[in-house]
Amino acid sequence: MNALTVAKFGGTSVADYAAMTNCTSVIKGNPDTRIVVISACSGVTNLLVELAKGNVALDRQKAILTQLADIHFSILEQLPEKPSVAAAVNQILVDVSTFAAAADTSPSDKITDSLVACGELMSTHIFTHLLNTQGIDAVRVDVRDILKTDDVHGKATPDLVETSHHAQTILRPLCDEKVVVTQGFIGSDLNGNTTTLGRGGSDYSAALLAEAVQATTLEIWTDVPGIYSTDPRVAPAAKPIDEISFSEASEMANFGAKILHPATLIPAMRQDIPVFVGSSKAPKQGGTWIRREAEYSPLFRALALRCNQTMVTLTSLNMFHAYGFLAEVFNILAKHKVSVDLITTSEVSVSLTLDQTNTKGGAPTLPDAAEKALSKLCRVTIEQDMCLVALIGNHMGESRGSAAKIFGALEDFNLRMICYGASNHNLCFLTNTNESKDVVKALHKELFEAI
């Protein structure tokens, strides 16, 4: 099979005309790039989510629509005029207004998906036009004709069989002659209704398409040159990572490293597709390769931080030397579609964190009905304003003295919940939000900067 690269560009990479132009240079630099997956322009999705929540004052709605128009037409004004592209963007803005009015009356996950998808629909019209003006023969494809999902709005599950069929019959033939530009983050159910893969799902979309067309490489282009030992904005001494394994990168993404969507690597792992992460602003700086196995596997690889965490503590004396309590708890959570992230237990209580996976963002909440059902079983305590710190590494549970080194660095901090032992690749704990960055700094200094 000929080499085929799928390249995904995030919101900051397509924020404005200059940023988009950098992306065209990246595409020109690799003739194997045949599918380009684009996010909404930076800041657009946040504006659309605000509209989707409903109860937005009319003046604010108008201001948001004006801001959306300014973002997109400021780019078009710097390109040769093409009435069909301007008309397409204007029509999507009309759709935004219509969906916003519907959300104001009766907000729903279905309307939210239709609204937030408009960002990618607009950015891809503009980016395809830019590529063509740069001498690249590009065609825009609506990913909703390719990426099929179930009908769960806010966090749809891809239908791999249908997606593969459409990718092979529609996308793959186009790749032989043109560069295909399509949208990240969105898809459609089998009835044609717009769905989304959850906030930040553009990376995941790109990986699903790479798997479906049997690509040889997946590139994720963002605003930082690869993956670092932690966020350089938190710890300025953070070190770049040249190569990392799928397992380590998956842990990092799952525990808050914003450079990758948590589900991104699953399709790549299934097809053993190497993934490159780099900066569209500085592609010559290199980046990070993610492969099935890394040549070097250190004890401590990286630190990740995930905030907006919600901890639920369930306390009942009926737990003591009893069985079936946890089964009842998780039956209730499953019934109300509550996703659990971390869990720890004692003789009379269990603490767990809630997973936030849908489009709405913010701290995850325990639905009122679930809280009411749990309260009949035990005492329920809900705490927010916490962050999850995760230390990613290799064979940490098998290395004597590693725990002492880790917790020695944290002796001045209050740790609320600790999870260790379920995986040899991570140790994670909750801490108060106001201490979280200091925790990361202290750990990074002890484990990475002293080397």
Side-chain angles (χ1 to χ4, degrees):
M1 182 184 72
N2 295 330
L4 190 160
T5 296
V6 174
K8 179 264 177 179
F9 294 93
T12 54
S13 294
V14 293
D16 51 32
Y17 176 79
M20 284 192 176
T21 302
N22 288 336
C23 298
T24 65
S25 299
V26 172
I27 294 167
K28 285 180 178 179
N30 181 4
D32 293 334
T33 301
R34 309 309 297 168
I35 298 176
V36 179
V37 179
I38 300 293
S39 294
C41 298
S42 182
V44 166
T45 301
N46 288 338
L47 294 172
L48 295 171
V49 168
E50 183 179 345
L51 289 174
K53 290 178 179 178
N55 197 29
V56 180
L58 186 59
D59 287 348
R60 177 57 183 161
Q61 285 189 34
K62 291 179 178 179
I64 290 174
L65 286 167
T66 299
Q67 190 174 350
L68 290 170
D70 289 345
I71 289 170
H72 295 94
F73 279 97
S74 66
I75 303 173
L76 280 176
E77 288 169 359
Q78 299 179 72
L79 291 168
E81 186 176 349
K82 190 171 183 180
S84 61
V85 175
V89 173
N90 270 322
Q91 181 56 56
I92 295 169
L93 289 171
V94 171
D95 294 339
V96 169
S97 181
T98 302
F99 291 135
D104 205 44
T105 303
S106 181
S108 68
D109 290 341
K110 184 176 181 180
I111 292 174
T112 296
D113 277 358
S114 296
L115 248 177
V116 298
C118 291
E120 279 76 6
L121 296 176
M122 287 188 283
S123 64
T124 47
H125 275 294
I126 296 170
F127 192 76
T128 305
H129 179 35
L130 174 59
L131 286 180
N132 286 322
T133 65
Q134 294 278 331
I136 299 173
D137 190 6
V139 60
R140 178 183 180 274
V141 170
D142 192 327
V143 79
R144 291 174 295 185
D145 296 330
I146 312 294
L147 207 164
K148 297 298 179 178
T149 73
D150 63 12
D151 60 0
V152 176
H153 293 282
K155 189 180 184 298
T157 298
D159 185 325
L160 299 182
V161 174
E162 286 292 320
T163 298
S164 177
H165 170 71
H166 292 296
Q168 290 294 330
T169 56
I170 299 174
L171 277 189
R172 190 68 203 222
L174 283 173
C175 293
D176 293 336
E177 298 181 359
K178 298 178 181 291
V179 172
V180 176
V181 178
T182 194
Q183 305 80 29
F185 173 56
I186 63 179
S188 70
D189 64 22
L190 297 182
N191 292 318
N193 297 306
T194 299
T195 56
T196 63
L197 302 181
R199 196 67 187 267
S202 291
D203 292 349
Y204 188 27
S205 296
L208 288 165
L209 294 176
E211 177 185 32
V213 299
Q214 299 179 332
T216 50
T217 305
L218 171 61
E219 295 177 350
I220 305 292
W221 294 97
T222 180
D223 57 353
V224 293
I227 299 173
Y228 280 68
S229 53
T230 197
D231 188 339
R233 292 168 296 186
V234 176
K239 302 176 181 180
I241 300 171
D242 294 330
E243 186 184 51
I244 190 171
S245 70
F246 279 137
S247 297
E248 293 169 309
S250 294
E251 296 279 6
M252 288 187 68
N254 188 55
F255 287 111
K258 295 180 181 179
I259 199 163
L260 285 175
H261 183 278
T264 300
L265 297 176
I266 297 173
M269 291 171 69
R270 285 194 295 250
Q271 287 293 320
D272 201 11
I273 302 171
V275 179
F276 177 79
V277 180
S279 169
S280 60
K281 297 179 181 179
K284 293 183 180 179
Q285 286 189 22
T288 303
W289 279 101
I290 308 172
R291 309 181 193 274
R292 184 168 296 279
E293 298 291 340
E295 186 174 342
Y296 172 57
S297 299
L299 177 62
F300 304 124
R301 174 70 86 180
L303 286 162
L305 177 65
R306 186 172 74 198
C307 289
N308 285 323
Q309 297 298 286
T310 299
M311 181 170 73
V312 178
T313 301
L314 310 174
T315 305
S316 173
L317 292 176
N318 292 334
M319 280 185 66
F320 190 72
H321 288 170
Y323 58 87
F325 177 82
L326 287 179
E328 289 186 65
V329 166
F330 281 97
N331 279 335
I332 292 170
L333 295 174
K335 179 180 178 180
H336 296 281
K337 300 187 185 317
V338 177
S339 179
V340 172
D341 189 15
L342 304 178
I343 180 169
T344 61
T345 64
S346 72
E347 287 290 355
V348 295
S349 68
V350 54
S351 291
L352 50 88
T353 60
L354 305 182
D355 206 4
Q356 176 67 287
T357 56
N358 63 27
T359 306
K360 297 175 182 177
T365 57
L366 185 66
D368 290 342
E371 183 178 354
K372 184 177 180 180
L374 288 169
S375 295
K376 294 178 180 179
L377 185 66
C378 56
R379 186 173 79 249
V380 180
T381 305
I382 301 174
E383 299 176 74
Q384 294 185 318
D385 197 26
M386 287 187 284
C387 292
L388 173 70
V389 178
L391 173 62
I392 314 302
N394 295 279
H395 308 295
M396 289 189 292
E398 302 170 9
S399 178
R400 291 184 179 181
S402 62
K405 189 173 186 180
I406 295 164
F407 290 108
L410 300 176
E411 61 183 357
D412 294 329
F413 300 100
N414 182 27
L415 306 183
R416 298 299 313 280
M417 177 177 174
I418 301 170
C419 290
Y420 187 35
S423 168
N424 262 330
H425 285 293
N426 75 70
L427 183 161
C428 48
F429 44 84
L430 284 182
T431 185
N432 294 328
T433 297
N434 60 359
E435 288 188 325
S436 60
K437 291 183 179 180
D438 290 332
V439 167
V440 172
K441 290 177 185 177
L443 269 178
H444 194 273
K445 182 177 181 180
E446 176 65 27
L447 304 180
F448 296 92
E449 297 172 33
I451 297 174

